[in-house]
Amino acid sequence: MDPIRIGIVGLGKIARDQHIPAIRGNGNFDIAATVSPHSPPMDGIAHFATLEDLIENGPAVDAVALCTPPQVRYDIAVTALKTGMHVFLEKPPGATLAEVEALKDRADKVGTTLFASWHSRFAAGVAPARAWLSERTVKSAKIIWREDVRVWHPGQDWIWEPGGLGVFDPGINALSIITHILPRPIFLKDATLSLPANRAAPIAADIAFQDTAGAPVHMDLDWRQTGPQSWDIIVETDAGELKLSSGGAVITTPRGTEHNEDLEYAGLYARFANLIRGGRSDVDVAPLRLVADAFLRGRREAVEEFHD
Amino acid sequence: MDPIRIGIVGLGKIARDQHIPAIRGNGNFDIAATVSPHSPPMDGIAHFATLEDLIENGPAVDAVALCTPPQVRYDIAVTALKTGMHVFLEKPPGATLAEVEALKDRADKVGTTLFASWHSRFAAGVAPARAWLSERTVKSAKIIWREDVRVWHPGQDWIWEPGGLGVFDPGINALSIITHILPRPIFLKDATLSLPANRAAPIAADIAFQDTAGAPVHMDLDWRQTGPQSWDIIVETDAGELKLSSGGAVITTPRGTEHNEDLEYAGLYARFANLIRGGRSDVDVAPLRLVADAFLRGRREAVEEFHD
């Protein structure tokens, strides 16, 4: 099969650290071009300031991976879908739910692949956790996602702007896991969002979800954690406790602990290639919908100003 | 055909002013019971404090209309669906999007009718507006929804609580119309929500939507309007202007103005009966999704305290 010629739009940290190595490691893809108005080009790869410029003047491209901030992703995705390209969306898939619906409709009509990626679902422990839980009764679950924003998002102002999600930018990773591993859907009962007085997005959140059988799922998100960081999900079942730690990489059940190699983005690109080859899309908005529900339904409290 | 025996849950203003007269005017329905923990019973109708009490001790009921505030609607809907009842949800259909999805799944599995009602879609001018616009190219649209909260929601504290939507409680009516009459979906580009310093929900909002062909749709919501009230939607097209006024009751196009009788709730119950007889559900979350997007993506500004 011919390789899929892919363009990478947005050349920030996530594109360089994750997308490019994963694409280079997958024989289904050839990197055809990169697009970024500000970032410098990469050695040996054709580079364009905008996607329009690539379409008019660049090499042929079958697919694009959109690694820009979510606020500008919709217009770029429309341009790509209009020219018949397959589109890989970094998470979150958009700045609003309605724009993701609109993209989904458009991809369905054009007949190209739209992939709303959730990288944490490809962490090593997630598939085994989903399999183990599918045969158990869930009594309760806890999500503890506490990290230091200064370490992980230094100077990323867009993340604090409306549409940038604040602490839900990492928190949506936890939600992408929990909505994938629990046997039943969850929905929000109560939420408190903590907003720094000088910022538009929350720096912490405390959320009570429950599943449709009534099991409580508590989420503790905090970006003010210094020292040890936590990305843990603990599920209590009728057959004991399941723990996913290190963001889903490590799984512990009553049978023991498994550590496996981290292949999140490799998994995503394997999936993207399969979707393209199979002529299908995969757009699950459940994690973003839960975040929107938290903003819709949550109580806001003002906390200390945050300065980077 | 046997009449559908219906229970009314929640006996506030909307139930007494709208639901009961509409149900009484529709030969498909018999009012079998009312449910409310606080409100007094109505003459000649069996009354219960809770839906559980009605199920255990009351007459047989085929369907329920849920007229409670949205924050408590989910649990009541689940109880009803579990016993095989058809469910009519007042707008908004829930306090969160995820709980509405969960109800939809449950109704699909049980095989009963779930109807997420949007009464403004049954205003007299809405169906003709939709028909007229279906043959036109939309250039832009404007929604002006300005009313006096003290007149329309006196002392309704739940409306200011998280999940109560604030000015989006009337605003979602406008959104239910615009998503129904425009030929293309819209999504949010930018929003400013004005929150009184002492309240959890917005008293005003200024929102820029656009449709998927790029036409701008501007929404001006305000609950601080004294004097004349405005519930207007104006759509500019290639064939001139369409105006819906009085909340959708009056339509004006270049052909002239039509006033028709207000039959919103009569229309809703005709639709509910059709859905039940046809074994179908109708759950369109688009208006609530746009509100969630506004909360997710909107910039918040603090305004003067509001006291009832």
Side-chain angles (χ1 to χ4, degrees), chain A residues 82-101:
Chain A
K82 273 187 180 168
T83 60
M85 294 178 191
H86 308 293
V87 175
F88 177 121
L89 299 169
E90 242 305 343
K91 63 97 204 179
T96 66
L97 289 163
E99 74 183 49
V100 179
E101 288 301 315

Side-chain angles (χ1 to χ4, degrees), chain A residues 178-189:
Chain A
I178 200 89
T179 52
H180 192 63
I181 64 173
L182 290 185
R184 297 172 192 274
I186 62 171
F187 58 94
L188 185 147
K189 296 299 286 179

Side-chain angles (χ1 to χ4, degrees), chain A residues 97-98 162 187 293 297 300, chain B residues 74 97-98 162 187 293 297 300:
Chain A
L97 289 163
F187 58 94
D293 282 342
R297 185 79 167 77
R300 281 164 177 76
Chain B
Y74 174 84
L97 289 163
F187 58 94
D293 282 341
R297 185 79 166 79
R300 281 166 178 75

Side-chain angles (χ1 to χ4, degrees), chain B residues 16-58:
Chain B
R16 291 173 189 267
D17 290 357
Q18 300 289 351
H19 289 258
I20 290 168
I23 295 170
R24 286 197 166 136
N26 185 321
N28 285 292
F29 294 98
D30 268 351
I31 300 183
T34 53
V35 174
S36 169
H38 308 300
S39 306
M42 298 174 57
D43 279 353
I45 303 180
H47 184 82
F48 302 86
T50 64
L51 181 59
E52 285 79 1
D53 189 16
L54 162 60
I55 291 167
E56 275 175 39
N57 305 307

Side-chain angles (χ1 to χ4, degrees), chain B residues 132 142 233-237 239-243 252-255:
Chain B
W132 194 82
K142 245 186 338 202
I233 294 176
I234 296 155
V235 185
E236 301 296 341
T237 77
E241 180 183 289
L242 175 141
K243 182 172 181 182
T252 305
T253 65
R255 291 181 307 209

